[in-house]
Amino acid sequence: MSRGTRLVAWTSTAEYVAVGELLYSESPQDRHRGVLAVKAWRARARVPAAVDATATLVELQLSDSTQPVSQQRLTLSMALIRFVNSILDLEQRTTVAQSMAVLARRVGMPAWFVELRHACTHEQVPSLRVLRAAHAHALVWLDEHYWRRQTRALPEDTRDRVRAAVAEYVRARDTVKAAATKRNASEFDAAKAALVALTGVLHSDAVGAHVVRVLLEPGVLVPTDKRMRAKFPECTMPSQLARQSTSLLRLLADVWGESVLFDELLSAICSALVPQSSEGGFEPATLGPSHAATLVAWVRWILDKHYQPAGSDTPSNVSVDDLLETCLRNPGYYSRAVLKAVSDADPALGRDLRPFVDYMGKALAALAAADARPVRSTVDAEEMRKEEELMQTRLDSMRGSAGSMDVDMDANESVEADEPETLQPDSRWAYDVRSGSPCPIGTLADGCVPDLELPLWIDDIPLFVAPA
């Protein structure tokens, strides 16, 4: 669930923009170069679904039209099916699968794309003329809903612009609440319109990269006044904070949809609360208690308003799968609080989480007790001297026992111990340590790989011998 560093196939933003321009160029040679660039991206890493669909559609547009009509119809229909599926599957975020029509309405895709996909899959394949028209409309839709928005969202000062717009909205909102004058209301409407205009041109990927990061900064969803923040262990949402922040969240949800906004918000909160540990141990808290308690309170609020347990008649707008995985893989004080919030929102799931929550509580209590136990910083000199004498006595005793050992070769006959025989190692393993040199692990001192294979006749020895 962590959305920190993300691997991309392009080497720079300039390359990304250039390939997008090539794919929509009027020159067939340029479009062919764009398709080849996307093929190279596919070999490097996973590319976004919109980029992959664009390259596929452009490649078909450039393909030879001398093929039989039936083959062209099948090829175009398969490309349109993959286009619709790859775009809409990204919106399938709930436990219960939603219909394609609902998902298409959420992303702004025309309903006839879904109907055409259904016809290509389950009914008679449409005519070549219809498929080519749909092919051209798909490229236009991708350009308007992905490439143009991505290009506008790429400037490095995007987060600063979002931060300034949100800050102006919050200031105007507080001003109009303090004094509901006509001038203050006009300023608030202007701030709201500016925020909608800015966020409306951003692609949904910018929600997690910029918008929710700004929302979680002190002064927006987390008040700067600590008296307005939530407190452990209840992590109850302060009513005043919920009232003043709901309007902002509703405004942003109208732009991108509740599923996108609150899924990204849950992901960002989890990333802030739960440090990523590669060792699976208990990580120390990195946020202040009141700040973390307020973030947990927002998790509770989102789950209460937008989450539905599995089997519910109402589809859920958010998913907790990534949230659970992150918290269970990285146990800690705040991850336990998040798991308790999920358990309260979904009692059936809470019964399965109960052992993990209890284990975290016991482990954290043990760590707290260990930290509170006093530790002696110095050792008494007399006690150290007695320890040294005891260790020296034990060492002398062990040496004396080794020197007086006899070799008993027979139970009825006692023989004197001869000088210990010097074992001569196998010549394959013997070497002079003084003339040794570094060698690879798994080889002998001279760099040769030893033969560790056992003889074949060992395979014929039975493991169990039947009694006579």
Side-chain angles (χ1 to χ4, degrees), residues 1-332:
M1 186 159 191
S2 176
R3 310 280 180 100
T5 304
R6 191 173 78 174
L7 178 66
V8 294
W10 45 91
T11 58
S12 64
T13 300
E15 178 186 348
Y16 173 83
V17 174
V19 171
E21 293 176 351
L22 288 175
L23 291 172
Y24 284 91
S25 172
E26 296 182 359
S27 170
Q29 291 78 11
D30 289 343
R31 281 183 287 167
H32 180 66
R33 289 171 52 200
V35 171
L36 294 179
V38 175
K39 288 184 177 181
W41 287 356
R42 290 171 182 158
R44 297 176 189 168
R46 183 177 180 180
V47 299
V51 176
D52 185 75
T54 304
T56 301
L57 295 174
V58 171
E59 185 176 12
L60 289 178
Q61 200 175 52
L62 298 173
S63 62
D64 187 8
S65 59
T66 59
Q67 298 175 344
V69 174
S70 59
Q71 186 173 348
Q72 294 183 48
R73 291 170 62 194
L74 291 175
T75 303
L76 288 175
S77 62
M78 178 59 67
L80 290 172
I81 291 172
R82 285 183 55 83
F83 157 66
V84 176
N85 288 350
S86 61
I87 298 298
L88 297 188
D89 281 349
L90 298 176
E91 299 297 319
Q92 200 70 265
R93 301 169 182 263
T94 59
T95 305
V96 180
Q98 295 178 301
S99 66
M100 286 288 187
V102 174
L103 300 177
R105 187 163 53 250
R106 183 182 301 168
V107 301
M109 179 180 290
W112 64 268
F113 271 127
V114 178
E115 297 173 0
L116 186 63
R117 167 201 169 274
H118 182 82
C120 293
T121 306
H122 304 288
E123 301 173 2
Q124 184 177 1
V125 179
S127 65
L128 183 60
R129 181 179 179 181
V130 172
L131 291 173
R132 284 178 175 173
H135 177 279
H137 279 85
L139 285 174
V140 173
W141 188 89
L142 286 168
D143 183 34
E144 293 178 351
H145 289 76
Y146 181 80
W147 289 102
R148 293 185 185 180
R149 292 188 178 187
Q150 286 283 32
T151 304
R152 294 176 185 176
L154 288 175
E156 297 181 357
D157 63 341
T158 299
R159 185 174 300 185
D160 295 334
R161 294 162 57 198
V162 172
R163 184 181 293 111
V166 171
E168 178 61 22
Y169 174 88
V170 172
R171 185 201 63 78
R173 179 199 62 193
D174 296 342
T175 302
V176 78
K177 285 184 177 181
T181 63
K182 186 176 181 180
R183 178 180 178 181
N184 291 342
S186 175
E187 291 180 355
F188 178 62
D189 291 339
K192 182 191 300 186
L195 180 60
V196 171
L198 173 61
T199 55
V201 299
L202 298 178
H203 190 264
S204 57
D205 289 347
V207 179
H210 301 295
V211 178
V212 297
R213 307 293 175 179
V214 173
L215 295 180
L216 297 183
E217 294 176 356
V220 188
L221 296 185
V222 180
T224 53
D225 186 358
K226 294 186 177 181
R227 294 174 297 180
M228 293 181 57
R229 296 181 180 180
K231 295 178 176 59
F232 282 112
E234 295 83 5
C235 298
T236 304
M237 172 65 71
S239 57
Q240 183 178 357
L241 176 61
R243 284 195 304 269
Q244 73 178 20
S245 302
T246 302
S247 60
L248 175 59
L249 294 177
R250 188 183 304 115
L251 179 68
L252 297 175
D254 290 341
V255 176
W256 291 297
E258 294 179 348
S259 178
V260 173
L261 175 65
F262 292 112
D263 254 339
E264 293 291 350
L265 193 55
L266 278 179
S267 176
I269 291 175
C270 189
S271 299
L273 286 172
V274 183
Q276 300 295 305
S277 171
S278 59
E279 300 176 357
F282 285 81
E283 292 290 323
T286 56
L287 295 177
S290 63
H291 193 155
T294 306
L295 294 182
V296 175
W298 276 114
V299 172
R300 289 183 173 275
W301 185 88
I302 294 172
L303 295 178
D304 179 61
K305 302 293 183 181
H306 303 281
Y307 173 74
Q308 295 294 334
S312 177
D313 296 334
T314 305
S316 178
N317 287 326
V318 295
S319 172
V320 297
D321 295 342
D322 293 340
L323 191 72
L324 294 177
E325 181 179 357
T326 302
C327 292
L328 291 174
R329 287 181 178 274
N330 304 278

Side-chain angles (χ1 to χ4, degrees), residues 371-390:
D371 294 339
R373 189 180 302 121
V375 180
R376 296 178 59 183
S377 58
T378 59
V379 180
D380 184 72
E382 181 63 22
E383 186 175 349
M384 178 65 75
R385 187 185 61 80
K386 292 181 180 180
E387 287 287 342
E388 291 178 354
E389 292 179 354
L390 178 61

Side-chain angles (χ1 to χ4, degrees), residues 324 328 335-336 338-344 346-363:
L324 294 177
L328 291 174
S335 57
R336 181 172 182 267
V338 173
L339 291 177
K340 291 180 65 176
V342 175
S343 300
D344 294 341
D346 190 343
L349 183 59
R351 287 191 292 270
D352 296 333
L353 294 176
R354 180 68 180 272
F356 299 98
V357 175
D358 293 343
Y359 164 74
M360 287 186 186
K362 294 178 181 178

